[in-house]
Amino acid sequence: MISRVSDFFNRILSVFSTFSFTDFLDIVMVAFVIYICIRIIRETRAIQLAKGLIYLAVIYGVVNLLNMEASSFIFKSIFSNILIIVVVLFGPEIRHILEQVGHGATTKSLKTIIHPGIAVELAEISDAVDAICKACSNMSDKKIGALICFENETLLGDVISTGTVLEAKASRELIENVFFPKSPLHDGAMVIRSGTVYAAGCILPLTKKTVSSALGTRHRSAIGLSEQSDAIIVVVSEETGAISVARGGVLDRDISAGDLRDILITEFVTTGSSSDDKIVTKIVRRMKK
């Protein structure tokens, strides 16, 4: 046993004895390339595919450790063609990465390694929720259609890219103006990120499952996005003025403005945990963005 431990440390020492500055640069370069790739695809659905591949790799490692021959053969067949699989799955993202690098995205990423505004004031998010609930209540009374997406842990870069970026402070007046009939952005969805109106006029994916014929395009879009992400989507019906909320592929119909506020406050401001834990969660969420 002692000899094995000694062998292990001797191998580590031999590695460090041959470690040069070039090796250090090599490691830094690989880490930087991986960081840039993650940085660019993190707001797309490709990040979910990347997570799936990582899970497969972990399972493959476990299968090898347990000497499961049949399973090892299957996974070996998959990973022997991993380059082809990556190109097929991530074709659009690879092209996007090259375009971003060509436009200087590398320099931009270097500047944003340390985010200048990590601290997120929960009071601002609470104010934004209040403004949105008041706007939804007013639009409900006037039967003005609205579709508002609250970004959660899953970033909505794909959705935001289809609309117009606003990055404005959330207010009742702004939200009602965006969804006012004949407004240029009223037909699309609004995306709320970290308590701000980040984008409007966005296009959402429609659900593929069969839903009630009484539900229009806004409701189908809300369900569709909630199936593909952990976002919370609020819908105000143009026909009835009813307020609905889509979460996890399920639509809660005809809720009050007070119930809407409770849902949003519970999700984005309080979770039953300590305020310090919630602040840490918000800081981590902001760093991801």
Side-chain angles (χ1 to χ4, degrees):
M1 181 66 180
I2 295 175
S3 63
R4 288 183 180 178
V5 173
S6 177
D7 268 351
F8 174 74
F9 281 106
N10 285 334
R11 287 178 183 177
I12 293 176
L13 288 174
S14 67
V15 169
F16 279 102
S17 64
T18 58
F19 190 81
S20 64
F21 183 70
T22 305
D23 297 322
F24 172 75
L25 285 179
D26 191 22
I27 293 171
V28 170
M29 178 63 72
V30 171
F32 181 70
V33 169
I34 293 172
Y35 168 78
I36 292 298
C37 292
I38 294 174
R39 182 88 185 175
I40 292 173
I41 71 168
R42 67 195 173 97
E43 294 197 14
T44 68
R45 284 192 291 273
I47 197 67
Q48 304 300 330
L49 293 174
K51 290 178 181 177
L53 288 177
I54 291 171
Y55 292 146
L56 280 179
V58 171
I59 295 171
Y60 183 33
V62 173
V63 164
N64 273 338
L65 279 176
L66 298 176
N67 293 320
M68 300 167 67
E69 293 185 7
S71 299
S72 293
F73 175 77
I74 294 172
F75 280 102
K76 195 176 292 183
S77 300
I78 294 172
F79 283 97
S80 62
N81 300 303
I82 192 66
L83 286 178
I84 298 174
I85 293 172
V86 167
V87 170
V88 171
L89 291 178
F90 300 99
E93 284 71 25
I94 292 172
R95 180 176 178 177
H96 182 58
I97 288 171
L98 294 176
E99 288 175 352
Q100 290 288 80
V101 171
H103 286 108
T106 304
T107 305
K108 183 179 179 182
S109 295
L110 278 173
K111 291 178 181 178
T112 56
I113 288 176
I114 301 176
H115 202 288
I118 289 176
V120 177
E121 292 292 337
L122 297 182
E124 291 181 3
I125 298 176
S126 180
D127 291 343
V129 168
D130 286 338
I132 290 162
C133 290
K134 289 176 183 176
C136 287
S137 178
N138 289 343
M139 290 187 290
S140 174
D141 293 338
K142 299 174 184 177
K143 293 186 179 180
I144 295 175
L147 184 59
I148 304 173
C149 312
F150 288 82
E151 186 181 63
N152 210 333
E153 297 300 325
T154 303
L155 302 183
L156 302 178
D158 282 349
V159 172
I160 290 169
S161 65
T162 64
T164 301
V165 175
L166 301 178
E167 287 193 81
K169 181 179 179 180
S171 67
R172 178 184 59 79
E173 294 81 6
L174 173 62
I175 296 163
E176 290 185 27
N177 280 332
V178 167
F179 290 110
F180 187 78
K182 297 185 180 180
S183 165
L185 302 175
H186 83 282
D187 270 338
M190 176 182 289
V191 175
I192 306 296
R193 170 180 284 183
S194 298
T196 64
V197 178
Y198 194 83
C202 301
I203 300 172
L204 306 187
L206 293 173
T207 181
K208 294 181 180 179
K209 69 182 182 181
T210 304
V211 296
S212 170
S213 58
L215 299 179
T217 304
R218 286 191 177 92
H219 295 86
R220 295 169 189 267
S221 298
I223 297 171
L225 182 62
S226 71
E227 289 171 339
Q228 297 183 14
S229 71
D230 60 354
I232 293 179
I233 304 95
V234 180
V235 186
V236 180
S237 172
E238 192 172 4
E239 300 295 327
T240 65
I243 300 173
S244 304
V245 174
R247 291 179 289 177
V250 177
L251 185 70
D252 294 326
R253 301 173 62 182
D254 200 12
I255 65 172
S256 67
D259 290 338
L260 173 62
R261 185 181 185 281
D262 290 341
I263 291 170
L264 297 177
I265 289 292
T266 300
E267 178 63 34
F268 297 103
V269 181
T270 57
T271 59
S273 57
S274 70
S275 59
D276 289 342
D277 289 342
K278 192 62 181 179
I279 289 171
V280 169
T281 302
K282 293 295 181 184
I283 290 174
V284 171
R285 184 180 296 172
R286 181 63 176 272
M287 289 177 71
K288 286 173 65 179
K289 297 169 178 140

